[in-house]
Amino acid sequence: MKARSNIIPALLLPAAMLIAVMLLTSCADQSQQDKHAETHAHTDDAHDSHDDHNESTEQHNDVIKLTDAQLKSAGVVIEPLSSGEIVTQITLPAEIGINQDSVLHVTPRISGIVHQVHAYLGNEVRDSDILAIIESPDLGEAKIAYLQLNQSKLIADAELKRQGLISTNTEQLLQILRDNPTPTDLRTQTEDLRIGVNKGRLLSSYAQMKAGYANYARESELNAKGLSTQADLLAAQEMYYSAQAEYMAAFEEIEFTYRITLQEAQQASMIAKSSFENAERRLHLLGLTQDDVDRVVSEPDLDIAKYKLIAPGNGQIVTKHLTPGEHVDTENPVYTIADLSTVWLNISVYAEYAGLIREGQRVNIRVGDRKATGSVEYISALVSEQSRTVHARVVIQNPDREWKPGEFVTVQVETEQSHAQRVVPAQAIQNYEGNEVVFIQDDDGIEPFKVTIGRRSDTTVELLNTDLPIGTPIVVSNSFLMKAELGKGAAGHDH
């Protein structure tokens, strides 16, 4: 039994040692696993920490923090998002041209030889300025006829005045005679009347009639008393009746003829006046002003054939076709004057856009610092055979003469205008990391916001983002500086 008991411990010892080794190995493995797990955990923590750092860095790089002073210094303008109008424009070529409605072609109204030139190409002239002096035989003859007819009119007017006075005095004399005055009263009443030969004729015949009547009355009285023969009475009677007939004939003739003479004088005056006025009208037709015509009577003989070619209006001389000594006629213009305070903008409208252009549409033109606006006033009904375009016309103001006829420009025609809920200036849109964005401002700073673009024009853009509230502060000017700031931040992080 004792031997069996010694054998059992001997058998248990190797088993115990095997178990210990297994336990040690297990502990070592567990320790290694724990160490590996710890190491892995540490690595994961480090990686997570690095990821967190990246996220923090990216978040920091997408937000721009600038003070108001810095924004103002950089010229950055921030405005709240709002609705607005989207104006669709078409860009078309155009040429500045002279406003043909304001062009004045100056053509002499008489032919002659150019004596002096007062206005030259490029000169600004005003209405009634003297452009040139032309010597014209036609004008000289017209002035001579005017002078002659003026003299005839003066003579006719003077004669009419004289006949008017004679007529008035004659009528007064005849009225006095109708009252049968005594010869003494007649002389007294007619002493100051100026009539002419008719006065002497009437007074003489009246006196003879009165004398014949007195003699006849005396003979009648003597005959009644038997102191005179019948023959003497008949002789006195015949003498009286003869003087009476002579007087009555003179009275009636003078009464009739003085009116005829007055009418003839009136007619002669009217004819002289009409002829004179026609001569004056001819001078006006030849281009003389009323002042020029009034000076014809007193002007020197050497100037009688000189014709003043005057400007018919204000403007600039754009063509000139005369020199001293040159013969000019009434058919060919010698000057062209254009009022350049307005000019035409002649737009060439391509066929595919012809249906979009309408009268009244706003047109914008800008070349460097020069800019102007106008509206379409005329659209041609025909297509140009050479350019295959339709011509549209705009009148633009040109007070400073900065738009030069013949200059080629590009214009924008506003063809449509519509309302949009969210509108920003076109310069507010930037391309960032492959997306179109605007830069919005919030409590964190300024950051990009991806947008969806709707309708657009050259100046404004519609945003379709309903998740972007109206009133959101948006960078509307110099937004490219925000993009540049983000670019600097991304470059520093990559480093």
Side-chain angles (χ1 to χ4, degrees):
M1 288 298 292
K2 184 177 180 178
R4 184 179 295 178
S5 61
N6 290 333
I7 292 173
I8 292 174
L11 293 174
L12 292 175
L13 181 60
M17 293 178 64
L18 178 62
I19 293 172
V21 171
M22 291 178 62
L23 290 174
L24 182 62
T25 301
S26 175
C27 289
D29 290 341
Q30 182 65 38
S31 176
Q32 187 69 25
Q33 289 178 4
D34 292 342
K35 183 179 181 181
H36 177 72
E38 182 180 354
T39 302
H40 180 71
H42 176 74
T43 302
D44 288 344
D45 291 342
H47 180 70
D48 291 343
S49 176
H50 180 69
D51 288 344
D52 291 342
H53 174 72
N54 286 345
E55 289 179 2
S56 176
T57 303
E58 289 176 2
Q59 181 70 15
H60 175 73
N61 289 339
D62 282 348
V63 177
I64 304 166
K65 295 184 178 295
L66 295 173
T67 65
D68 291 341
Q70 290 174 319
L71 293 173
K72 182 178 180 180
S73 177
V76 176
V77 178
I78 299 175
E79 294 180 352
L81 177 63
S82 63
S83 61
E85 302 297 321
I86 299 294
V87 179
T88 303
Q89 297 180 330
I90 298 175
T91 301
L92 296 171
E95 181 181 359
I96 304 296
I98 292 176
N99 185 342
Q100 294 298 325
D101 293 336
S102 67
V103 171
L104 302 172
H105 296 286
V106 184
T107 303
R109 299 187 183 183
I110 56 173
S111 59
I113 304 299
V114 178
H115 178 65
Q116 293 177 343
V117 176
H118 293 273
Y120 296 88
L121 196 65
N123 287 168
E124 290 282 345
V125 296
R126 300 189 63 80
D127 186 19
S128 300
D129 282 354
I130 298 176
L131 305 177
I133 303 295
I134 299 171
E135 290 186 343
S136 170
D138 293 340
L139 177 62
E141 292 176 0
K143 286 184 177 180
I144 290 173
Y146 171 82
L147 292 172
Q148 291 175 339
L149 291 171
N150 179 57
Q151 191 66 27
S152 298
K153 178 179 178 298
L154 293 176
I155 294 173
D157 289 344
E159 178 63 16
L160 176 60
K161 182 178 180 180
R162 190 178 74 88
Q163 289 299 331
L165 178 61
I166 291 174
S167 175
T168 300
N169 291 341
T170 300
E171 178 61 33
Q172 186 176 352
L173 174 60
L174 294 176
Q175 186 58 45
I176 292 173
L177 292 172
R178 290 188 188 98
D179 295 336
N180 195 26
T182 64
T184 302
D185 291 340
L186 179 62
R187 284 195 302 271
T188 302
Q189 295 177 30
T190 61
E191 184 176 3
D192 295 330
L193 294 179
R194 300 292 180 265
I195 296 175
V197 295
N198 287 336
K199 178 179 180 182
R201 183 181 174 187
L202 277 174
L203 293 181
S204 175
S205 61
Y206 181 79
Q208 290 178 5
M209 182 189 69
K210 283 294 185 180
Y213 176 77
N215 185 51
Y216 173 63
R218 185 174 61 83
E219 289 294 332
S220 295
E221 184 179 353
L222 291 174
N223 183 263
K225 294 179 180 181
L227 299 176
S228 173
T229 64
Q230 188 68 23
D232 292 336
L233 177 61
L234 293 175
Q237 183 182 37
E238 181 181 1
M239 183 179 295
Y240 166 64
Y241 286 163
S242 176
Q244 186 183 47
E246 182 71 22
Y247 166 72
M248 292 180 63
F251 188 96
E252 291 179 358
E253 179 182 355
I254 291 173
E255 184 181 33
F256 176 76
T257 57
Y258 92 85
R259 291 191 175 93
I260 297 297
T261 303
L262 178 61
Q263 291 175 356
E264 290 176 347
Q266 291 173 338
Q267 184 177 9
S269 177
M270 291 175 61
I271 292 174
K273 180 182 178 182
S274 177
S275 299
F276 171 76
E277 289 176 348
N278 288 336
E280 183 176 354
R281 290 189 187 97
R282 173 162 174 75
L283 292 179
H284 286 306
L285 290 174
L286 294 176
L288 272 66
T289 65
Q290 187 60 50
D291 290 340
D292 293 334
V293 173
D294 293 340
R295 285 193 294 266
V296 170
V297 176
S298 59
E299 72 179 351
D301 292 342
L302 293 177
D303 294 338
I304 197 168
K306 291 182 179 179
Y307 168 76
K308 295 177 182 178
L309 184 66
I310 63 173
N314 302 337
Q316 185 179 42
I317 296 176
V318 294
T319 65
K320 168 181 166 292
H321 302 291
L322 81 169
T323 55
E326 180 181 359
H327 181 270
V328 294
D329 55 36
T330 59
E331 298 180 358
N332 300 300
V334 294
Y335 283 105
T336 301
I337 300 174
D339 183 1
L340 299 180
S341 61
T342 62
V343 291
W344 278 358
L345 185 63
N346 298 310
I347 305 173
S348 297
V349 182
Y350 302 123
E352 59 266 31
Y353 296 138
L356 301 176
I357 304 301
R358 298 182 300 277
E359 292 183 2
Q361 289 175 330
R362 182 183 176 92
V363 178
N364 302 304
I365 171 176
R366 183 164 189 168
V367 179
D369 294 334
R370 297 177 296 160
K371 60 182 179 179
T373 60
S375 59
V376 178
E377 296 189 1
Y378 165 79
I379 302 173
S380 174
L382 304 176
V383 176
S384 172
E385 294 182 359
Q386 290 76 22
S387 62
R388 309 308 301 172
T389 58
V390 175
H391 292 297
R393 181 189 305 152
V394 177
V395 178
I396 59 176
Q397 299 299 314
N398 190 32
D400 298 327
R401 308 297 192 270
E402 59 182 357
W403 301 106
K404 308 297 183 183
E407 181 180 4
F408 290 98
V409 297
T410 300
V411 302
Q412 287 75 43
V413 182
E414 298 180 359
T415 58
E416 183 181 0
Q417 182 171 339
S418 56
H419 187 76
Q421 290 298 321
R422 294 169 174 81
V423 175
V424 296
Q427 61 179 338
I429 305 297
Q430 296 294 330
N431 191 289
Y432 178 66
E433 294 184 349
N435 297 314
E436 289 184 304
V437 301
V438 295
F439 288 91
I440 66 174
Q441 186 183 47
D442 55 21
D443 294 338
D444 296 330
I446 298 175
E447 56 186 319
F449 186 93
K450 181 180 177 181
V451 294
T452 303
I453 302 299
R455 294 165 293 176
R456 68 169 67 209
S457 69
D458 289 346
T459 57
T460 55
V461 175
E462 177 187 19
L463 303 184
L464 301 179
N465 302 70
T466 58
D467 56 339
L468 187 59
I470 298 295
T472 300
I474 292 180
V475 178
V476 296
S477 179
N478 286 337
S479 61
F480 67 92
L481 296 176
M482 305 298 97
K483 179 180 176 181
E485 283 292 323
L486 291 180
K488 290 193 295 184
H493 176 66
D494 290 341
H495 178 71

